[in-house]
Coordinates of all heavy atoms in Angstrom, one line a residue:
A209 N 0.8 -1.2 0.0 CA 0.0 0.0 0.0 C 0.8 1.3 0.0 O 0.7 2.2 -0.8 CB -0.9 0.0 1.2
T210 N 1.8 1.4 0.9 CA 2.6 2.6 1.1 C 4.1 2.4 1.0 O 4.8 3.3 0.7 CB 2.2 3.3 2.4 OG1 2.4 2.4 3.5 CG2 0.7 3.7 2.4
D211 N 4.6 1.2 1.4 CA 6.0 1.0 1.5 C 6.7 0.8 0.1 O 7.6 1.5 -0.3 CB 6.3 -0.2 2.4 CG 5.9 0.0 3.8 OD1 6.0 1.2 4.3 OD2 5.6 -0.9 4.5
L212 N 6.3 -0.3 -0.6 CA 7.0 -0.7 -1.8 C 6.9 0.4 -2.9 O 7.9 0.5 -3.6 CB 6.4 -2.0 -2.3 CG 6.6 -3.2 -1.3 CD1 6.0 -4.5 -1.9 CD2 8.1 -3.4 -1.0
P213 N 5.8 1.1 -3.1 CA 5.9 2.1 -4.2 C 7.0 3.1 -4.0 O 7.5 3.7 -5.0 CB 4.5 2.8 -4.1 CG 3.6 1.7 -3.5 CD 4.5 1.0 -2.5
V214 N 7.4 3.4 -2.7 CA 8.5 4.3 -2.5 C 9.8 3.6 -2.4 O 10.8 4.0 -3.0 CB 8.2 5.1 -1.2 CG1 9.4 6.0 -0.8 CG2 6.9 5.9 -1.3
Q215 N 9.8 2.5 -1.6 CA 11.1 1.8 -1.3 C 11.8 1.2 -2.5 O 13.0 1.3 -2.7 CB 10.9 0.8 -0.2 CG 10.6 1.4 1.2 CD 10.3 0.3 2.2 OE1 9.8 -0.8 1.8 NE2 10.4 0.6 3.5
T216 N 11.0 0.4 -3.3 CA 11.6 -0.3 -4.4 C 12.3 0.6 -5.4 O 13.4 0.3 -5.8 CB 10.6 -1.3 -5.0 OG1 9.9 -2.1 -4.0 CG2 11.3 -2.2 -6.0
P217 N 11.6 1.6 -5.9 CA 12.3 2.5 -6.8 C 13.6 3.2 -6.2 O 14.6 3.3 -6.8 CB 11.3 3.5 -7.2 CG 10.0 2.9 -7.0 CD 10.2 2.0 -5.8
K218 N 13.4 3.6 -4.9 CA 14.5 4.2 -4.3 C 15.7 3.4 -4.2 O 16.9 3.8 -4.5 CB 14.1 4.6 -2.8 CG 15.2 5.3 -2.0 CD 14.7 5.7 -0.6 CE 15.8 6.3 0.2 NZ 15.3 6.8 1.5
Y219 N 15.5 2.1 -3.8 CA 16.7 1.2 -3.6 C 17.1 0.5 -4.8 O 18.2 0.0 -4.9 CB 16.4 0.3 -2.4 CG 16.3 1.0 -1.1 CD1 15.1 1.1 -0.4 CD2 17.4 1.7 -0.6 CE1 15.0 1.8 0.8 CE2 17.3 2.4 0.6 CZ 16.1 2.5 1.3 OH 16.0 3.2 2.4
A220 N 16.3 0.5 -5.8 CA 16.7 -0.2 -7.1 C 17.8 0.7 -7.8 O 18.5 0.1 -8.6 CB 15.5 -0.3 -8.0
E221 N 17.9 1.9 -7.5 CA 18.9 2.7 -8.0 C 20.3 2.4 -7.4 O 21.3 2.6 -7.9 CB 18.6 4.2 -7.8 CG 19.6 5.1 -8.6 CD 19.2 6.6 -8.5 OE1 18.0 6.9 -8.3 OE2 20.0 7.5 -8.7
L222 N 20.2 1.8 -6.2 CA 21.4 1.5 -5.4 C 21.8 0.0 -5.4 O 23.0 -0.3 -5.2 CB 21.2 2.0 -3.9 CG 20.9 3.5 -3.8 CD1 20.6 3.8 -2.3 CD2 22.0 4.4 -4.3
Y223 N 20.8 -0.9 -5.5 CA 21.0 -2.3 -5.4 C 20.2 -3.1 -6.4 O 19.2 -2.6 -6.9 CB 20.6 -2.8 -4.0 CG 21.3 -2.1 -2.8 CD1 20.8 -0.9 -2.2 CD2 22.5 -2.6 -2.3 CE1 21.5 -0.3 -1.2 CE2 23.2 -2.0 -1.2 CZ 22.6 -0.9 -0.7 OH 23.3 -0.3 0.4
N224 N 20.6 -4.3 -6.6 CA 19.6 -5.3 -7.2 C 18.6 -5.6 -6.1 O 18.9 -5.8 -5.0 CB 20.4 -6.6 -7.6 CG 21.5 -6.3 -8.6 OD1 21.3 -5.6 -9.5 ND2 22.6 -6.9 -8.3
V225 N 17.3 -5.6 -6.6 CA 16.2 -5.7 -5.6 C 15.2 -6.7 -6.0 O 15.0 -7.0 -7.2 CB 15.5 -4.3 -5.4 CG1 16.5 -3.3 -4.8 CG2 14.9 -3.8 -6.7
V226 N 14.5 -7.2 -5.0 CA 13.3 -8.1 -5.1 C 12.2 -7.6 -4.3 O 12.4 -7.2 -3.1 CB 13.7 -9.5 -4.7 CG1 12.5 -10.4 -4.9 CG2 14.9 -10.0 -5.5
D227 N 11.0 -7.5 -4.8 CA 9.8 -7.2 -3.9 C 8.6 -8.1 -4.3 O 8.6 -8.8 -5.2 CB 9.5 -5.7 -4.0 CG 8.6 -5.2 -5.1 OD1 8.0 -6.1 -5.9 OD2 8.5 -4.0 -5.3
S228 N 7.6 -7.9 -3.4 CA 6.4 -8.8 -3.6 C 5.2 -7.9 -3.8 O 4.1 -8.2 -3.3 CB 6.2 -9.7 -2.3 OG 6.1 -8.9 -1.1
F229 N 5.3 -6.8 -4.5 CA 4.2 -5.8 -4.7 C 3.0 -6.6 -5.3 O 3.1 -7.3 -6.3 CB 4.7 -4.8 -5.7 CG 3.7 -3.7 -5.9 CD1 3.5 -2.7 -5.0 CD2 2.9 -3.7 -7.1 CE1 2.6 -1.6 -5.2 CE2 2.0 -2.7 -7.3 CZ 1.8 -1.6 -6.4
D230 N 1.8 -6.5 -4.6 CA 0.7 -7.3 -5.0 C -0.6 -6.5 -5.3 O -1.7 -7.1 -5.3 CB 0.4 -8.4 -4.0 CG 0.0 -7.9 -2.6 OD1 -0.1 -6.6 -2.5 OD2 -0.3 -8.7 -1.7
T231 N -0.5 -5.2 -5.5 CA -1.7 -4.5 -5.9 C -1.8 -4.5 -7.4 O -1.1 -3.8 -8.2 CB -1.6 -3.0 -5.4 OG1 -1.3 -3.0 -4.0 CG2 -2.9 -2.2 -5.7
H232 N -2.5 -5.5 -7.9 CA -2.5 -5.9 -9.3 C -2.7 -4.7 -10.3 O -2.1 -4.5 -11.3 CB -3.6 -7.0 -9.6 CG -3.2 -8.3 -9.0 ND1 -2.6 -9.3 -9.8 CD2 -3.3 -8.8 -7.8 CE1 -2.4 -10.4 -9.0 NE2 -2.9 -10.1 -7.8
A233 N -3.7 -3.8 -9.9 CA -4.1 -2.7 -10.8 C -2.9 -1.7 -11.0 O -2.8 -1.0 -12.0 CB -5.3 -2.0 -10.3
N234 N -2.0 -1.7 -10.0 CA -0.9 -0.7 -10.0 C 0.4 -1.2 -10.5 O 1.4 -0.5 -10.4 CB -0.8 0.0 -8.6 CG -2.0 0.8 -8.2 OD1 -2.8 1.2 -9.1 ND2 -2.2 0.9 -6.9
I235 N 0.4 -2.5 -10.9 CA 1.7 -3.1 -11.3 C 2.3 -2.4 -12.5 O 3.6 -2.2 -12.4 CB 1.5 -4.6 -11.6 CG1 1.4 -5.4 -10.3 CG2 2.6 -5.2 -12.4 CD1 1.1 -6.9 -10.4
P236 N 1.6 -2.0 -13.5 CA 2.3 -1.3 -14.6 C 3.0 0.0 -14.2 O 4.2 0.2 -14.6 CB 1.2 -1.0 -15.6 CG 0.1 -2.1 -15.4 CD 0.2 -2.3 -13.9
A237 N 2.4 0.8 -13.4 CA 3.0 2.0 -12.9 C 4.2 1.7 -12.0 O 5.3 2.4 -12.1 CB 2.0 2.9 -12.2
H238 N 4.1 0.7 -11.1 CA 5.2 0.3 -10.2 C 6.4 -0.2 -11.1 O 7.5 0.2 -10.8 CB 4.7 -0.7 -9.3 CG 5.7 -1.1 -8.2 ND1 6.3 -0.2 -7.4 CD2 6.3 -2.3 -7.9 CE1 7.2 -0.8 -6.6 NE2 7.2 -2.1 -6.9
F239 N 6.1 -1.0 -12.1 CA 7.1 -1.5 -12.9 C 7.9 -0.4 -13.6 O 9.1 -0.4 -13.6 CB 6.5 -2.4 -14.0 CG 7.5 -3.0 -14.9 CD1 8.1 -4.3 -14.7 CD2 7.9 -2.4 -16.1 CE1 9.1 -4.8 -15.5 CE2 8.9 -2.9 -16.9 CZ 9.4 -4.1 -16.7
A240 N 7.2 0.6 -14.1 CA 7.8 1.7 -14.8 C 8.7 2.5 -13.9 O 9.8 2.9 -14.3 CB 6.8 2.6 -15.4
N241 N 8.3 2.7 -12.7 CA 9.1 3.5 -11.7 C 10.4 2.7 -11.3 O 11.5 3.3 -11.3 CB 8.3 3.8 -10.4 CG 7.2 4.7 -10.7 OD1 7.2 5.5 -11.6 ND2 6.1 4.7 -9.9
V242 N 10.2 1.4 -11.1 CA 11.4 0.6 -10.7 C 12.3 0.5 -11.9 O 13.6 0.5 -11.8 CB 11.0 -0.8 -10.2 CG1 12.2 -1.7 -9.9 CG2 10.1 -0.6 -9.0
D243 N 11.8 0.3 -13.1 CA 12.6 0.2 -14.3 C 13.5 1.4 -14.5 O 14.7 1.3 -14.8 CB 11.7 0.0 -15.5 CG 12.4 -0.4 -16.8 OD1 13.2 -1.3 -16.8 OD2 12.2 0.3 -17.8

């Protein structure tokens, strides 16, 4: 809900990352931010 949309893009710039983001409707936007 609130952690992964912020944390995963932030730390993907610094590390290889893995997350379990499960809000199906928001996956495309989350993917674009992390990418």
Side-chain angles (χ1 to χ4, degrees):
T210 58
D211 294 330
L212 297 180
V214 175
Q215 291 176 335
T216 309
K218 176 178 180 178
Y219 294 113
E221 189 173 337
L222 304 174
Y223 300 92
N224 299 315
V225 297
V226 179
D227 84 12
S228 59
F229 185 79
D230 65 358
T231 306
H232 289 262
N234 295 337
I235 285 176
H238 185 58
F239 180 92
N241 292 335
V242 175
D243 188 52

